[in-house]
Amino acid sequence: MRKLVALPVLSADALSSVAYGPEAMLAILVLAGTAGLAYSFPISAAIVFLILAVGVSYRQTIRAYPHGGGSYIVASDNLGPVPGLIAAAGLMTDYVLTVAVSIASGVAAVTSAIPSLAPEAVPIGVAVIVLLLAGNLRGVRQAGALFAAPTYAFIVAMFALITWGLVQSAERGFEPRPTPVITVTESAGLYLIMRAFSSGATAMTGIEAISNAVPVFRRVEWRQARTTLTWMVGLLIAMFAGIVALTHLTGVVPSSRETVLSQLAHLSFGSGWLYVFVQAATAAVLLLAANTAYNDFPRVLSLLARDDYAPRGFMRLGDRLAYSNGIILLSVAAALVYVAFDGQTAALIPLYAVGVFLAFTFSQAGMVVHWWRLRDRHWRKSLLFNALGALLSAVVFITAGISKFTSGAWVAIVAVGLFLLVTLRIHRHYTDVRARLRLRPHTMELPAPGEMGVTREAEAEVEAQAEGEAEVKGVKGVKEGESDVNGETEVNGEYEVNGEYEELPEEIHHLLIVPLATLDLAGMRALAYAASLRRPVLALHISLTDQEADRLRAYWALWGDHLPLEIVVSPYRATVAPLAHYIETLHRQHPDLTLTVILPEIITRHRRHQLLHSRTAPRLRRALRPLTKIVITTVPFHV
């Protein structure tokens, strides 16, 4: 990906945060009246320094992890599994709230321009989440000019707004306009300043996105990524500082009826097409920012599932090569949060800062350990930058947790704790099941082919059938006299069913297929059951990588190579679709055979644990139901 495309696509979340970050800070300060607003410049300066420090820190992460280094990977590699899970909890909270906050802020931009829609803000937001869900389930991806346009439009709109606003202020000698009458409800003390700082710091959300996506850049990837990150940080600082300065000069204060950006645009451009452009660009980039979470949330969840900290179903890709289960979970969680907080950006912000800076803290702390262990060229400088980033992120996290605890931060903290508890219990369950399924010497031995009623000739026939796999082209174009995929034959323009005519046992010719995920006791029991039927047996493995395929072949040879083994490589983390495709192809080539698919099935003691194991049999039945002469059965293995 070119830098000019990567910048808007990967920076949408970070850059769009200026639509709500400065306003969130001012919404706290305005509670103390003009005395509180006087702190907007010092607090903004601290946030700008924080953005700069964390941006420089992530430049070191990109250099250390040129293949992509998200917070979960960095923390797990360098601090251990539990810190990695805490970082993942912060990330997952961040992604859910990215959807909720971005949509809430985007809807606010629309209702500021069209006030009559304000009462329908919650239904509109939920409808947008449903739209994002549908689009991502169908495989929508962020790529190309289509997704770059909203971010560039927002950048143009913000700089046009800031520039024109500063020109107007220069005409009156940069004399700030008086603010409207403000009702003071709090004193301008340390507690208020802490809350304002942690709210304004949400303008940093998404700053880690580029470090997660280093492989998408053109060569040399890490250099391109670092340059893009520098541009993003520069743009973010310029827009954040410009909006704060313009708000001060115009005397604009946050309002429940209209966003700060909308007020500034009205003052600068009136209600003409430039105002509409600013509001439309803001809403579009916030929608794009919400969509970025749909790429990252399912990916992190799949990494957790790979490491046995989440149900393995989250590793499965849907028909459109998207992590469908993760996308659905994100949509449900974001919709619940959005509705629970009535679609109010100000109410969601306290939750947001906790997750964001928790992930930042553990990621940067992990990088400190990384440089301490590696000690390569310039390691001291990199360690210093990451240590500063970790320290400042920890300060913001603690500040947000304390100052906003009663305002809603407790929800995020409790969510992180529950996430840690659930993932550790899931991992313990998978560890226990793996121990019970592990093969042991002489635990179970398959008889030799001749002893199980499968002759070498039959075995050779099965292997020949397996090797004869061809591409399935569907039922269209079937010539007269040939059988289609459903076992029907066209004769004189009409179809006759010839696939299920057997009435006597001797008329049925069997081939038993045993799909294996791995060689364990459940799989061996299914193989033993199939072999006991004394019919030709074919073992079938769907492999995700060539390396995994080679490893299973080695295990198969080590355990005696008693039966024919066919391996199908499916690099898209899909198992049922290629399995169904293979069986359908075999059925098409040998319509005289009755194919019996024997699946090993894990049966857990507690029903809640059953959700952690795949439901391959029902899905395979649904996929193969239209075909004749296919039987699907399961061999239970209780753990």
Side-chain angles (χ1 to χ4, degrees):
M1 188 183 295
R2 294 183 298 117
K3 293 194 293 290
L4 289 177
V5 175
L7 174 65
V9 169
L10 299 176
S11 302
D13 187 9
L15 298 181
S16 67
S17 62
V18 301
Y20 50 81
E23 181 170 359
M25 177 189 69
L26 295 171
I28 301 297
L29 293 177
V30 77
L31 299 176
T34 54
L37 291 173
Y39 287 100
S40 62
F41 278 175
I43 294 174
S44 297
I47 292 173
V48 166
F49 178 75
L50 181 64
I51 294 172
L52 186 61
V54 173
V56 172
S57 297
Y58 272 105
R59 279 177 57 91
Q60 316 312 310
T61 303
I62 290 171
R63 181 165 71 89
Y65 285 84
H67 300 295
S71 298
Y72 171 64
I73 295 174
V74 173
S76 298
D77 286 353
N78 299 288
L79 301 177
V82 173
L85 286 175
I86 296 174
L91 278 178
M92 307 301 270
T93 305
D94 177 19
Y95 294 141
V96 171
L97 287 166
T98 292
V99 176
V101 172
S102 297
I103 290 177
S105 188
V107 171
V110 173
T111 56
S112 294
I114 312 175
S116 60
L117 293 178
E120 308 300 327
V122 173
I124 290 173
V126 173
V128 173
I129 293 176
V130 172
L131 179 66
L132 289 173
L133 168 64
N136 281 277
L137 286 178
R138 291 188 60 83
V140 172
R141 286 291 181 269
Q142 291 184 352
L146 177 64
F147 289 98
T151 307
Y152 277 130
F154 180 72
I155 293 171
V156 171
M158 289 302 99
F159 277 102
L161 176 63
I162 293 168
T163 302
W164 187 245
L166 291 177
V167 168
Q168 291 178 324
S169 297
E171 292 176 352
R172 61 176 186 271
F174 292 102
E175 182 68 25
R177 289 177 177 172
T179 59
V181 177
I182 301 172
T183 302
V184 178
T185 58
E186 294 187 28
S187 61
L190 178 62
Y191 183 65
L192 183 96
I193 294 172
M194 290 172 61
R195 287 161 54 201
F197 173 70
S198 57
S199 293
T202 55
M204 294 176 54
T205 58
I207 203 170
E208 81 289 351
I210 292 176
S211 68
N212 295 342
V214 178
V216 306
F217 285 86
R218 289 183 175 179
R219 298 177 60 90
V220 176
E221 291 87 347
W222 68 272
R223 290 187 185 276
Q224 301 274 344
R226 279 165 63 107
T227 302
T228 305
L229 177 62
T230 302
W231 289 355
M232 182 189 76
V233 169
L235 288 170
L236 179 58
I237 290 174
M239 290 193 293
F240 179 87
I243 293 298
V244 172
L246 196 58
T247 303
H248 172 73
L249 292 170
T250 57
V252 167
V253 296
S255 167
S256 59
R257 298 184 301 274
E258 188 177 7
T259 65
V260 167
L261 281 184
S262 177
Q263 294 181 62
L264 292 173
H266 262 138
L267 287 174
S268 297
F269 305 128
S271 300
W273 69 269
L274 282 175
Y275 169 78
V276 174
F277 172 70
V278 170
Q279 295 303 100
T282 301
V285 77
L286 286 165
L287 179 64
L288 179 58
N291 195 58
T292 60
Y294 279 89
N295 288 330
D296 295 331
F297 181 95
R299 181 184 57 82
V300 174
L301 202 52
S302 72
L303 293 176
L304 289 167
R306 180 201 65 185
D307 297 336
D308 290 342
Y309 289 110
R312 289 172 182 159
F314 289 114
M315 284 195 300
R316 187 170 65 243
L317 288 171
D319 294 338
R320 302 283 181 158
L321 304 184
Y323 292 108
S324 304
N325 292 332
I327 290 170
I328 294 171
L329 178 61
L330 173 60
S331 299
V332 171
L336 289 175
V337 170
Y338 182 83
V339 172
F341 288 84
D342 202 28
Q344 297 296 316
T345 307
L348 291 166
I349 289 295
L351 287 74
Y352 207 5
V354 171
V356 171
F357 286 97
L358 181 62
F360 283 179
T361 300
F362 278 90
S363 174
Q364 298 306 305
M367 288 306 304
V368 171
V369 175
H370 171 84
W371 296 122
W372 180 259
R373 290 172 176 171
L374 187 62
R375 302 195 182 196
D376 64 352
R377 186 184 179 189
H378 303 310
W379 70 273
R380 288 184 177 86
K381 179 181 71 174
S382 297
L383 186 147
L384 178 63
F385 285 140
N386 285 124
L388 180 61
L391 177 62
L392 293 176
S393 297
V395 168
V396 178
F397 168 70
I398 295 171
T399 301
I402 294 174
S403 64
K404 294 184 174 295
F405 187 81
T406 57
S407 301
W410 68 270
V411 176
I413 294 172
V414 169
V416 169
L418 289 175
F419 179 89
L420 192 62
L421 175 65
V422 170
T423 51
L424 288 174
R425 289 180 69 88
I426 289 174
H427 189 267
R428 186 175 68 183
H429 170 75
Y430 279 134
T431 301
D432 292 343
V433 170
R434 188 182 296 108
R436 296 185 184 188
L437 292 176
R438 186 176 295 118
L439 294 175
R440 304 172 185 85
H442 311 300
T443 298
M444 185 181 297
E445 294 184 0
L446 286 175
E451 298 174 0
M452 66 179 72
V454 182
T455 64
R456 285 296 179 186
E457 290 76 10
E459 188 174 308
E461 179 183 352
V462 170
E463 289 177 340
Q465 292 168 350
E467 292 171 358
E469 179 183 1
E471 181 182 359
V472 176
K473 298 182 179 178
V475 298
K476 293 182 179 180
V478 178
K479 297 180 181 179
E480 183 171 339
E482 292 183 351
S483 296
D484 70 359
V485 73
N486 291 309
E488 299 176 350
T489 302
E490 184 181 1
V491 180
N492 297 324
E494 297 181 358
Y495 281 92
E496 294 181 359
V497 177
N498 61 7
E500 297 173 317
Y501 56 82
E502 300 95 336
E503 297 180 1
L504 301 175
E506 57 269 19
E507 293 178 340
I508 298 178
H509 305 285
H510 289 280
L511 173 61
L512 310 181
I513 302 172
V514 183
L516 297 173
T518 184
L519 276 183
D520 54 21
L521 288 180
M524 296 300 287
R525 176 174 171 76
L527 285 172
Y529 173 81
S532 70
L533 300 178
R534 299 184 178 275
R535 292 292 184 270
V537 179
L538 171 67
L540 178 61
H541 172 68
I542 307 298
S543 180
L544 303 181
T545 63
D546 292 326
Q547 292 78 9
E548 181 184 330
D550 294 338
R551 185 163 57 248
L552 187 79
R553 286 192 189 96
Y555 290 160
W556 193 257
L558 182 65
W559 277 84
D561 195 15
H562 296 295
L563 296 168
L565 171 67
E566 182 70 14
I567 295 180
V568 177
V569 177
S570 173
Y572 302 113
R573 294 194 175 278
T575 54
V576 172
L579 179 60
H581 176 81
Y582 183 91
I583 294 169
E584 184 178 352
T585 302
L586 205 58
H587 170 78
R588 182 184 178 89
Q589 294 175 343
H590 304 278
D592 57 315
L593 290 176
T594 295
L595 305 179
T596 301
V597 183
I598 301 175
L599 293 163
E601 183 179 17
I602 304 297
I603 305 297
T604 59
R605 183 178 304 174
H606 304 289
R607 294 190 66 180
R608 65 179 181 273
H609 290 154
Q610 201 65 46
L611 297 174
L612 302 178
H613 298 277
S614 64
R615 302 282 296 167
T616 304
R619 294 168 57 211
L620 192 60
R621 284 192 183 97
R622 287 194 297 270
L624 298 177
R625 185 176 291 126
L627 303 182
T628 61
K629 301 176 68 172
I630 292 181
V631 179
I632 299 174
T633 188
T634 59
V635 177
F637 189 93
H638 295 80
V639 295

